[in-house]
């Protein structure tokens, strides 16, 4: 009987993968059927819309991040202090990653888009969001070697059925030609949701949660890596991921997200 155990274990993983893929295909088929039967609605205001899930009015309410901004963190300035001027955050607490860029501010419309993609199976939103990210991260993408989406823990990935960061990364891959490497970085420890945690609690929550796969470390050495995620809040998750990649001898790590939290009030530098 013991001799029969290894073959049983060897087929368990493929069966789980097939089951997950089947659930995902059925969910997409159900959504397609609904899209055919019902008019598409704006994900933010629920008005009928023809296209990518956001009506013209809500699209206009998105706050796209344009220059001038901090060259390190991508935080927008209220006026242009010069090309090399860093924000106070970049000077006081520089992250492990080299540069961060975001397509939009994390406002009401952006929050609705992120939550729909992340929790409501609205993968149809990824193409537009990913294209906006590719536009915002043009200078990061130039010369980059790979895109690495922030991974989910396997239990959360099982429940959610897909990784929203991976969905965005695949769109950016098509836009830029830079390959997505979803097998490079692993979340080795399940963490609490970051929502509601303080900055210090967020950093503690994700400490030691990520590592580069041992059989992929040679592929990281000397490479320029772009981390892909949906939202940058405190930066704790992305900073922890960047440190794991740098320990594996990545030459540089940059960050590209769809939305970033920008504190209100005057921000001259």
């Amino acid at each position: 009987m013991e001799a029969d155990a290894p073959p049983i274990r060897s087929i368990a993983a493929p069966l789980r993968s097939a089951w997950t893929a089947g659930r995902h295909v059925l969910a997409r088929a159900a959504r397609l059927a609904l899209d055919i039967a019902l008019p598409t609605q704006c994900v933010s205001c629920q008005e009928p819309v023809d296209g990518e899930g956001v009506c013209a009015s809500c699209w206009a309410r998105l706050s796209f991040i344009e220059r001038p901004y901090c060259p390190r963190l991508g935080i927008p300035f209220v006026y242009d202090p010069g090309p090399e001027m860093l924000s106070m955050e970049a000077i006081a607490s520089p992250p492990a990653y080299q540069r961060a860029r975001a397509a939009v501010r994390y406002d009401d419309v952006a929050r609705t888009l992120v939550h729909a993609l992340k929790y409501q199976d609205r993968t149809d939103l990824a193409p537009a969001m990913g294209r906006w990210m590719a536009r915002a991260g043009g200078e990061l993408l130039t010369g980059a070697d790979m895109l690495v989406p922030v991974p989910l823990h396997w239990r959360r990935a099982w429940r959610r059925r897909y990784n929203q960061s991976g969905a965005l990364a695949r769109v950016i891959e098509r836009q830029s030609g830079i390959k997505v490497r979803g097998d490079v970085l692993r979340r080795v420890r399940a963490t609490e949701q970051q929502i509601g945690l303080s900055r210090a609690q967020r950093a503690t929550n994700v400490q030691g949660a990520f590592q580069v796969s041992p059989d992929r470390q040679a592929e990281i050495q000397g490479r320029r890596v772009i981390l892909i995620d949906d939202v940058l809040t405190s930066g704790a998750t992305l900073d922890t991921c960047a440190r794991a990649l740098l320990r594996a001898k990545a030459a540089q790590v940059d960050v590209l997200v769809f939305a970033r939290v920008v504190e209100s009030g005057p921000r001259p530098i």
Side-chain angles (χ1 to χ4, degrees):
M1 292 298 291
E2 292 181 357
D4 294 334
I8 292 173
R9 286 197 298 269
S10 67
I11 65 172
L15 285 175
R16 284 196 297 269
S17 298
W19 171 246
T20 302
R23 291 173 64 194
H24 188 49
V25 168
L26 288 173
R28 290 178 64 87
R31 177 162 294 281
L32 179 60
L34 285 174
D35 288 344
I36 293 171
L38 301 172
T40 302
Q41 293 180 315
C42 173
V43 71
S44 180
C45 68
Q46 308 307 311
E47 288 296 315
V49 62
D50 179 21
E52 296 175 321
V54 184
C55 69
S57 175
C58 290
W59 186 88
R61 288 168 52 208
L62 279 167
S63 181
F64 287 89
I65 295 177
E66 305 285 352
R67 284 184 169 85
Y69 49 65
C70 171
R72 183 77 187 270
L73 298 182
I75 298 172
F77 292 140
V78 296
Y79 68 87
D80 191 352
E84 302 302 323
M85 182 64 70
L86 297 178
S87 62
M88 291 181 289
E89 290 89 340
I91 295 171
S93 183
Y97 48 84
Q98 186 66 28
R99 297 173 293 177
R101 297 291 182 268
V104 300
R105 294 172 185 247
Y106 192 57
D107 56 15
D108 290 341
V109 178
R111 183 184 299 108
T112 303
L113 287 168
V114 168
H115 282 207
L117 172 64
K118 197 169 186 174
Y119 303 118
Q120 300 170 18
D121 289 340
R122 289 297 306 270
T123 53
D124 58 299
L125 299 174
M129 296 167 69
R131 287 198 300 272
W132 296 336
M133 290 171 66
R135 173 181 172 272
E139 62 182 315
L140 273 59
L141 294 166
T142 301
D145 295 304
M146 65 182 72
L147 307 174
V148 175
V150 172
L152 298 174
H153 189 263
W154 69 266
R155 286 199 293 267
R156 188 167 293 166
W158 171 260
R159 292 194 301 268
R160 199 175 289 174
R161 298 189 303 276
Y162 64 91
N163 181 358
Q164 76 281 354
S165 300
L168 295 170
R170 286 188 291 275
V171 177
I172 299 168
E173 177 185 54
R174 292 194 293 271
Q175 293 288 307
S176 65
I178 301 169
K179 293 297 183 182
V180 175
R181 294 301 307 272
D183 58 345
V184 163
L185 194 62
R186 300 188 300 171
R187 190 184 291 248
V188 295
R189 181 173 61 80
T191 57
E192 298 178 24
Q193 292 279 359
Q194 296 277 66
I195 298 171
L197 300 181
S198 68
R199 180 179 291 269
Q201 289 171 330
R202 285 170 179 261
T204 301
N205 186 39
V206 296
Q207 186 174 7
F210 301 92
Q211 72 176 30
V212 172
S213 302
D215 58 343
R216 295 289 183 264
Q217 292 197 10
E219 301 170 35
I220 292 294
Q221 293 182 13
R223 304 295 185 182
R224 285 186 52 195
V225 180
I226 300 183
L227 277 167
I228 305 295
D229 206 0
D230 52 356
V231 179
L232 193 161
T233 306
S234 69
T237 297
L238 289 159
D239 192 72
T240 303
C241 289
R243 291 180 187 279
L245 290 163
L246 291 169
R247 283 196 298 271
K249 308 301 183 183
Q252 181 173 313
V253 179
D254 294 316
V255 164
L256 181 56
V257 300
F258 171 66
R260 72 161 299 137
V261 172
V262 177
E263 295 178 9
S264 58
R267 307 175 64 86
I269 58 171

